[in-house]
Amino acid sequence: MSIQAIKSPKIKYEMVKRFFGEGYWHITWQHATTLKLKWRLSRRYLKLKSLLKYKT
């Protein structure tokens, strides 16, 4: 399931916060070995970071 598919803004916020906070983004970035994968991740990075603006 994609984070974008989740309906609740609060749950999205919590999942993205955990994704960045626990270092999963860093691991994902390191394992993207091709330019195509890096490009896809860089496009998603801004969308995920924008979800962190949600305040409960």
Side-chain angles (χ1 to χ4, degrees), residues 15-36:
M15 289 186 71
V16 172
K17 182 178 169 186
R18 186 174 182 186
F19 186 72
F20 284 107
E22 293 185 9
Y24 294 122
W25 175 261
H26 182 70
I27 293 167
T28 304
W29 183 260
Q30 285 182 326
H31 285 86
T33 55
T34 65
L35 184 60
K36 183 178 179 178

Side-chain angles (χ1 to χ4, degrees), residues 8 10 14-15 17 20 26 28-30 33 37-41 43 46 50-52 54-55:
S8 170
K10 184 178 180 181
E14 292 298 326
M15 289 186 71
K17 182 178 169 186
F20 284 107
H26 182 70
T28 304
W29 183 260
Q30 285 182 326
T33 55
L37 289 174
K38 295 270 187 187
W39 172 249
R40 286 176 150 182
L41 285 174
R43 287 190 345 225
L46 294 175
S50 72
L51 292 173
L52 288 176
Y54 173 80
K55 298 293 182 204

